[in-house]
Amino acid sequence: MQGKTASQHKSEIIVVCIALLAFVVGLVGHLAGASFANSDAFGYIAAPVPLLTGIIALIAYKVAANGDH
C-alpha cells in the first residue's frame, strides 16, 4: 500500500470544499423554494439551483479526475 501524493491530497481538499459549496447552494435553493409562496423573488433564487449543482458536480469530477494521477 502506497501513500498519497501531494497532488492527490490537494485535489481531495478541493473536492471537499466544492462539496461544501454544493451543499450551501442546495440549502439556499431549498430555503428559497420553501419560501416561494411568500415572494416571487425567491423563485429567481431557487430556479437555477439544479443547474448550479450540476455545474459544481462537473467541476468536482474534473478536479478529482485530474488529481487521481
Side-chain angles (χ1 to χ4, degrees):
M1 185 172 174
Q2 72 187 44
K4 295 179 183 175
T5 64
S7 66
Q8 287 174 333
H9 283 292
K10 183 179 177 184
S11 65
E12 284 180 358
I13 291 171
I14 291 171
V15 169
V16 167
C17 291
I18 292 172
L20 288 173
L21 176 66
F23 173 75
V24 169
V25 167
L27 182 65
V28 168
H30 175 73
L31 293 174
S35 300
F36 184 74
N38 294 336
S39 173
D40 288 339
F42 287 119
Y44 295 116
I45 297 170
V49 167
L51 176 65
L52 292 175
T53 305
I55 291 170
I56 291 169
L58 179 67
I59 292 170
Y61 174 77
K62 294 291 186 182
V63 169
N66 286 337
D68 197 28
H69 298 121

